[in-house]
Amino acid sequence: LRFPADHGAHPEYRTEWWYYTGNLVAEDGTPFGCQLTFFRNALAPALPERSSTFATNQVYMAHFAVTDGKTRRHSSFDRYSRGAGGLAGAEAAPQVRVWLEDWQVVELQPGIYRLVASASSKTGPVAIDLQLRETRPPVLHGDAGLHQKGSEAGNASYYYSLVGLETSGTLTSAGNTYSVQGRSWMDHEFGTSALPADATGWDWFSIQFDTAAILMFYKIRLADGGVYPHIQGTWIGPDGQQRTIDENDFLLEATGTWSSPRTGIAYPSGWTLSIPKLELAVTIEPLIADQEMQVSFVYWEGAIEVAGALKEAPIRGKGYVELTGYGEQSSAAYQR
């Protein structure tokens, strides 16, 4: 991986996404979560020669969501467009930019980005206008960014994260606009056939601790009820040392469930996590239970709060969880 070039699109691969999630706090102490995600999907390996500027083999989709800790509401939206005619795209030069119409991430100067999105909900406008500043080098997951997800040929993707993104700006929820600040996390991943055929969904976690430690881990659920054994999570400790976390390193147990009143899908809600080799034991709680994404395919993605101990010292953190494949309305077509 080379930066900033690899912040842009990789159309030679079938699937790609840029995932921005943020844990923010308003001046009055209200907690918020936000998500702005751009997906690229190649419909064919190559584009036949065409004269139209709208001709493309690339389709883009974007998801935007805000979780409001005051109103206890989660608002979600999606858009689609073709990757042509200036409607949607991703590029690294002359500046990093990923966009779908007026939802966009744009580089203001090296290492500083602006995230902008807005939509209308039943309770009023929902919007973000945030500035994110890099404070740490990219985290390369797996083998220098090549992230293996299975034993079969092709069960891999390129995957890196920007973590510790200092975030400030404005967030609008239910028609009210707040000045907010906090930290964000960006995942960029691209590949062609990363997951095994019998995968039904996954539980994915990203956590940023108050000690500057970070953790990314997940489990891939299989059709027979088991869990896929090829896991490559990432831990970076307070000392800055990076370690790989595999499926034998952690014990994750759900402490409850939440059932959607709209879809009837039941999701795990709340967890305990222990990683003995790190001497880490924490509880994970959603900011609110209902953070179901009401978009063209249904999944759960939301802000979380984390508390526990690292080597017997208290530790706290915040992050995001994504849950897919828990109901017939879920689809992994564009997901991580």
Side-chain angles (χ1 to χ4, degrees):
L1 295 173
R2 297 176 295 108
F3 302 104
D6 279 315
H7 290 323
H10 299 79
E12 65 272 26
Y13 294 92
R14 180 178 179 180
T15 307
E16 186 165 16
W17 50 81
W18 297 258
Y19 244 94
Y20 289 84
T21 55
N23 299 95
L24 309 173
V25 179
E27 293 176 334
D28 64 0
T30 299
F32 291 94
C34 70
Q35 172 196 352
L36 181 58
T37 308
F38 299 89
F39 303 87
R40 180 195 60 77
N41 194 56
L43 303 179
L47 175 65
E49 187 172 342
R50 297 278 301 279
S51 60
S52 171
T53 59
F54 288 97
T56 181
N57 63 334
Q58 306 291 324
V59 173
Y60 280 77
M61 175 177 68
H63 289 178
F64 168 46
V66 166
T67 302
D68 188 326
K70 178 180 289 186
T71 64
R72 314 295 292 175
R73 290 181 178 272
H74 178 260
S75 304
S76 57
F77 314 90
D78 64 349
R79 289 181 176 180
Y80 292 84
S81 190
R82 66 182 63 209
L87 297 173
E91 58 191 19
Q95 61 189 163
V96 176
R97 182 180 177 227
V98 187
W99 76 96
L100 199 163
E101 299 172 358
D102 60 350
W103 293 3
Q104 67 173 331
V105 177
V106 60
E107 185 180 37
L108 303 178
Q109 60 187 73
I112 299 178
Y113 309 89
R114 184 186 181 197
L115 274 63
V116 180
S118 62
S120 296
S121 71
K122 294 180 180 179
T123 57
V126 178
I128 56 171
D129 189 343
L130 303 172
Q131 183 170 295
L132 279 56
R133 184 176 72 86
E134 289 184 37
T135 64
R136 302 169 66 161
V139 175
L140 308 182
H141 301 291
D143 182 5
L146 182 60
H147 188 244
Q148 194 76 20
K149 292 183 173 67
S151 58
E152 300 170 3
N155 288 163
S157 62
Y158 289 99
Y159 181 15
Y160 70 90
S161 301
L162 299 179
V163 305
L165 292 166
E166 290 186 353
T167 304
S168 62
T170 61
L171 181 149
T172 301
S173 175
N176 299 309
T177 298
Y178 303 85
S179 294
V180 295
Q181 60 181 356
R183 285 183 297 188
S184 297
W185 176 302
M186 189 278 279
D187 275 344
H188 185 193
E189 192 164 357
F190 52 95
T192 296
S193 57
L195 295 179
D198 55 347
T200 61
W202 52 87
D203 302 6
W204 173 89
F205 296 74
S206 68
I207 303 171
Q208 302 193 78
F209 291 100
D210 53 9
T211 61
I214 68 105
L215 176 64
M216 181 281 292
F217 74 103
Y218 57 95
K219 64 178 184 179
I220 298 174
R221 305 186 314 280
L222 301 178
D224 63 4
V227 177
Y228 207 67
H230 299 277
I231 302 299
Q232 289 187 330
T234 299
W235 163 263
I236 298 180
D239 59 359
Q241 181 181 359
Q242 181 168 334
R243 302 174 67 173
T244 296
I245 303 298
D246 66 30
E247 68 278 4
N248 298 312
D249 290 330
F250 67 88
L251 177 62
L252 178 71
E253 294 185 347
T255 57
T257 59
W258 173 80
S259 294
S260 168
R262 295 172 297 273
T263 63
I265 298 173
Y267 303 91
S269 184
W271 301 263
T272 58
L273 169 69
S274 63
I275 305 180
K277 78 175 186 179
L278 301 177
E279 298 180 64
L280 176 71
V282 296
T283 59
I284 301 170
E285 295 293 338
L287 179 57
I288 64 174
D290 184 357
Q291 297 183 80
E292 187 178 55
M293 295 292 293
Q294 291 293 298
V295 289
S296 52
F297 53 89
V298 179
Y299 63 104
W300 193 102
E301 177 138 11
I304 55 169
E305 297 181 333
V306 182
L310 174 64
K311 296 183 178 179
E312 300 185 350
I315 190 170
R316 304 186 69 87
K318 296 181 180 180
Y320 254 73
V321 170
E322 181 178 273
L323 308 171
T324 72
Y326 280 94
E328 292 182 356
Q329 298 183 57
S330 298
S331 167
Y334 291 91
Q335 286 295 305
R336 66 175 81 244

